[in-house]
Amino acid sequence: MTAPVFVAEPDLLADARPGAVLALTGPEGRHAVSVRRLRAGEDVVLTDGAGRGAYGTVTGVTGPDRLLVTCAEVREEPAPRPRLTVVQALPKGDRGELAVETMTETGVDAVVPWAASRCVTQWRAERGRKSLAKWRATAREAGKQARRLRFPEVAGLHSTKELLPLLAGAAFAAVLHEEGEESTAPLAGAALPRTGEVVLVVGPEGGVTPAELAAFEGAGAGAYRLGPTVLRTSTAGTAAGAVVLAATGRWS
């Protein structure tokens, strides 16, 4: 059985070292004690979600939300190269959380919600705040499930115009275009960098508009296709991310 992962406060992990006893408290401590029912002798991993992790063994439970862990090893996970960011157009229903969950499990480093012209879903006022919070909570929980020490960042909602600097500053930027002709270059054959940032743009179910394509092209993002089939917006980012991670050596 693999050791479960819990999120600890950065201050707790800052002093982590082999032999140190760390007290996991708060909601994560309560989950470990009351839900997972961890007991002395079981292995656990504590992480700040920013690349630092303490691997250790439970040595005591001193309350309903307080787990004591004796640290055996501290690991630092360096920032990945290249950094992979997926711009995700807002899907309908709970498919946004599905997209974030599977992209996190795959290894995407950042997700940028995008209010594309053809998005049926709109993030406005309180609904937008709640939806963004769900995406961020999903990334956190999926990061724990995937045993990542560095969780993906989920940015605030972006307009098309707000995406342009991100695309212009990338080492490689691509728009996944389902309506592209057969002559459109396949993403699997693209010359991808080993450093810098790779940005992939995933459009909505209705597709990317000509105006959006033109704006993205002006910022340096070309149109690419994934394959002969059309994927849903909630799965395209995961599939494209896998292609990039394999091609750039991140999975080697």
Side-chain angles (χ1 to χ4, degrees):
M1 178 179 175
T2 57
V5 177
F6 297 95
V7 180
E9 294 296 327
D11 289 346
L12 177 64
L13 293 183
D15 297 326
R17 64 188 184 282
V21 177
L22 309 175
L24 180 68
T25 59
E28 288 288 275
R30 185 175 301 108
H31 183 75
V33 173
S34 302
V35 180
R36 296 298 299 263
R37 298 185 181 279
L38 296 181
R39 295 294 180 262
E42 297 187 71
D43 293 335
V44 296
V45 179
L46 307 182
T47 180
D48 59 2
R52 185 174 176 84
Y55 293 70
T57 303
V58 176
T59 50
V61 175
T62 59
D65 63 351
R66 195 167 190 268
L67 190 79
L68 299 182
V69 178
T70 298
C71 179
E73 179 187 4
V74 177
R75 298 180 189 175
E76 295 282 355
E77 185 177 285
R81 301 175 61 190
R83 174 181 168 90
L84 174 56
T85 296
V86 174
V87 174
Q88 176 66 59
L90 304 180
K92 294 183 289 185
D94 61 359
R95 286 188 170 273
E97 288 97 272
L98 173 64
V100 173
E101 179 180 41
T102 55
M103 286 191 289
T104 298
E105 292 172 355
T106 302
V108 169
D109 303 303
V111 179
V112 180
W114 171 35
S117 297
R118 291 175 176 168
C119 282
V120 174
T121 298
Q122 299 293 323
W123 282 7
R124 295 193 179 95
E126 185 62 20
R127 177 180 181 179
R129 288 188 288 273
K130 288 182 177 180
S131 297
L132 180 58
K134 285 183 180 180
W135 281 34
R136 287 174 172 166
T138 298
R140 173 188 169 107
E141 292 306 310
K144 291 163 58 178
Q145 180 65 34
R147 300 177 58 75
R148 292 180 60 166
L149 296 185
R150 189 179 294 274
F151 299 164
E153 302 169 14
V154 179
L157 182 65
H158 279 52
S159 66
T160 298
K161 183 178 180 180
E162 290 170 333
L163 290 177
L164 302 184
L166 174 66
L167 299 176
F172 176 86
V175 182
L176 304 181
H177 189 34
E178 66 178 40
E179 297 177 1
E181 300 177 357
E182 291 186 1
S183 59
T184 302
L187 182 63
L192 298 172
R194 294 299 180 107
T195 59
E197 184 171 25
V198 173
V199 180
L200 305 176
V201 179
V202 179
E205 297 292 352
V208 183
T209 68
E212 289 166 340
L213 278 173
F216 294 153
E217 183 178 2
Y224 289 81
R225 57 183 169 83
L226 266 177
T229 59
V230 176
L231 280 69
R232 299 200 68 161
T233 184
S234 54
T235 56
T238 299
V243 170
V244 170
L245 291 169
T248 57
R250 286 269 303 266
W251 275 6
S252 63

